Amino acid sequence: MENNLENPRSDRFCERCGAVIEGDNFHDFNGEIYCENCLQDETVVCTHCGERILWENNSGTESMPLCERCYNDYYATCVDCGRIIHQDHANYFDDNDDDAYCDDCYENERDHPIHDYSYKPTPIFYGSDSRFFGVELEIDDGGKDDDNAESLLEIANISGEKIYIKSDGSLDDGMEIVTHPMTLGYHKSEMPWEEIMKTAISFGYKSHKTRTCGLHVHVNRNTFGETREAQDDTISRVLYFVEHHWNELLKFSRRTEEQMSQWAARYGYKNNPKDILDHAKNECDNRYTCVNITNYNTVEFRMFRGTLKYNTLIATLELVDKICEIAVNCNDKSLAKLSWADFVMSLPERDCAELITYLKERRLYVNSPICGEEDE
């Protein structure tokens, strides 16, 4: 018997299960003949547009099937509960963020003192300058505790939201304090870092005295130039400075080589800045590097061990600021000639008092070392 669609009186065979289909009791789906059972078992109708699709191509859920096109154009998945939501009802903490929340999860996340790791609100900029620093300070061993988080938030956010707190899977029993972008002057004169740190210590938290905690500093990318090309040119000198003075910065960081290789690996020394940048872009495309350049809006300095000592935190910010300043103001040739001694001797004491003190404590300054308190 001939098996084709042009002879409606002949029996046909289901191309899915092989069953004989009598008369006109068949369905044509995507050019294939389906019996009624296979059509119901293996296909479904998109809730949004009404197109029939294979179950295996369902981009929605069993109760709300969606074709891939409709899901991509009109729907999102809540990152907290996994619920499919229409884009008209999706909530985002940042206009550039891809993480969508349903109404319930958005309200819960916004009001909860410890946010999920993916939480990223719209940045609020503090201070008047062209260079901003966002700090991520990990603290551990004191508990992922809402009451503790509330206390730290109350200290910092008494006059506006300066920090938020997130969970972090790399910590054993702690959390991550994240600041909104602030100028160096604002961090030093307006942020109550000393009180935050003393309170965290009183709750039993540690940072330096763990193997889990880091201190990461984000710098706005547009401080390095107006165009992406100009920014890359300057950032290449940041990478060169770090590689050129790796031994000194390793000592400054308070990390071991093993910790660096795990959380903040170096790119490797090259003869000129552009070669290091090319290597970083082409062969090291991940964020676990000493200077993470994968973010679109920021450059992240990841090499520093966590701390609950005020001098260490401010010294770190002053160091990052001076590295950025040198990268902006130097050309490749003058940077290659800059020794570590030249660098530290150029630091203005008025602007870098904490940095100079820290360098002396770590025997990284050309003058006599001094004693200081141990990091927490």
Side-chain angles (χ1 to χ4, degrees):
M1 183 176 296
E2 195 168 288
N3 181 19
N4 59 60
L5 297 177
E6 296 179 357
N7 184 2
R9 292 173 297 176
S10 63
D11 290 341
R12 294 170 175 81
F13 295 91
C14 174
E15 295 184 46
R16 304 299 287 185
C17 69
V20 176
I21 304 174
E22 297 181 357
D24 294 335
N25 297 321
F26 69 92
H27 299 276
D28 182 0
F29 175 70
N30 288 347
E32 292 188 6
I33 296 174
Y34 279 63
C35 66
E36 181 66 27
N37 288 338
C38 286
L39 187 77
Q40 297 302 319
D41 291 344
E42 300 192 28
T43 70
V44 68
V45 174
C46 172
T47 304
H48 189 89
C49 70
E51 178 185 353
R52 186 171 288 277
I53 57 174
L54 289 170
W55 266 110
E56 63 193 50
N57 295 331
N58 176 22
S59 295
T61 63
E62 184 174 352
S63 61
M64 189 172 70
L66 294 165
C67 67
E68 183 179 9
R69 183 182 65 253
C70 287
Y71 175 82
N72 290 336
D73 290 347
Y74 301 104
Y75 293 86
T77 301
C78 176
V79 296
D80 264 9
C81 68
R83 175 184 165 194
I84 301 290
I85 46 178
H86 195 280
Q87 283 288 5
D88 289 347
H89 303 292
N91 302 281
Y92 299 88
F93 286 105
D94 190 309
D95 292 339
N96 297 318
D97 194 5
D98 293 330
D99 291 334
Y101 292 82
C102 67
D103 289 339
D104 291 341
C105 291
Y106 180 78
E107 292 299 325
N108 182 63
E109 184 68 19
R110 186 178 61 181
D111 297 336
H112 199 268
I114 303 177
H115 301 288
D116 285 344
Y117 182 74
S118 62
Y119 179 78
K120 188 173 67 173
T122 300
I124 306 169
F125 291 82
Y126 292 94
S128 301
D129 204 343
S130 61
R131 186 173 300 141
F132 294 85
F133 302 88
V135 171
E136 297 172 348
L137 175 59
E138 295 168 344
I139 58 177
D140 211 346
D141 293 352
K144 186 179 173 182
D145 187 277
D146 286 351
D147 290 338
N148 291 349
E150 287 277 14
S151 296
L152 297 177
L153 290 167
E154 287 175 5
I155 294 169
N157 296 343
I158 191 169
S159 60
E161 184 182 319
K162 310 290 177 58
I163 70 168
Y164 51 96
I165 294 177
K166 304 196 303 183
S167 59
D168 191 323
S170 68
L171 303 177
D172 294 329
D173 193 20
M175 50 198 179
E176 182 179 45
I177 301 170
V178 185
T179 74
H180 283 275
M182 302 172 183
T183 63
L184 177 59
Y186 199 94
H187 274 288
K188 293 164 74 170
S189 63
E190 301 294 334
M191 262 295 289
W193 276 119
E194 288 188 274
E195 188 177 356
I196 290 171
M197 290 175 161
K198 288 177 181 177
T199 302
I201 292 171
S202 73
F203 290 153
Y205 289 101
K206 300 172 186 172
S207 192
H208 171 85
K209 294 179 180 179
T210 71
R211 291 183 58 84
T212 55
C213 292
L215 167 61
H216 305 157
V217 181
H218 286 260
V219 182
N220 54 308
R221 209 180 196 276
N222 58 13
T223 194
F224 299 113
E226 294 182 0
T227 67
R228 298 298 283 191
E229 291 77 13
Q231 292 167 13
D232 280 352
D233 186 52
T234 305
I235 291 168
S236 73
R237 290 192 287 276
V238 170
L239 302 185
Y240 183 88
F241 182 95
V242 171
E243 292 295 338
H244 193 61
H245 301 293
W246 180 260
N247 290 333
E248 291 86 359
L249 292 175
L250 176 63
K251 192 172 183 180
F252 186 102
S253 75
R254 294 163 291 111
R255 287 188 185 273
T256 64
E257 285 278 13
E258 180 185 2
Q259 291 168 336
M260 282 290 206
S261 63
Q262 182 178 5
W263 302 110
R266 66 184 301 182
Y267 292 112
Y269 181 76
K270 308 289 181 185
N271 287 330
N272 63 73
K274 184 179 183 301
D275 288 344
I276 299 178
L277 181 66
D278 288 343
H279 176 70
K281 283 187 170 184
N282 298 327
E283 300 185 39
C284 305
D285 189 24
N286 72 80
R287 65 189 181 93
Y288 295 107
T289 49
C290 51
V291 183
N292 169 26
I293 60 173
T294 63
N295 298 316
Y296 186 80
N297 292 316
T298 67
V299 171
E300 180 189 17
F301 291 75
R302 292 181 52 89
M303 64 192 78
F304 309 109
R305 191 167 181 164
T307 184
L308 285 172
K309 183 182 174 186
Y310 176 78
N311 164 255
T312 302
L313 173 65
I314 299 303
T316 300
L317 293 177
E318 290 178 347
L319 173 71
V320 172
D321 181 57
K322 289 306 172 185
I323 293 174
C324 295
E325 185 177 296
I326 285 173
V328 170
N329 294 327
C330 284
N331 57 36
D332 292 359
K333 188 175 181 179
S334 60
L335 182 62
K337 294 179 179 179
L338 184 71
S339 68
W340 182 259
D342 292 335
F343 169 66
V344 298
M345 288 305 294
S346 71
L347 298 173
E349 190 166 354
R350 185 185 66 178
D351 298 330
C352 300
E354 301 292 348
L355 175 56
I356 291 172
T357 298
Y358 181 88
L359 291 172
K360 290 179 178 179
E361 290 175 359
R362 297 284 159 181
R363 298 177 182 271
L364 287 166
Y365 199 71
V366 293
N367 292 341
S368 300
I370 62 174
C371 296
E373 295 179 2
E374 187 177 1
D375 276 86
E376 293 290 340

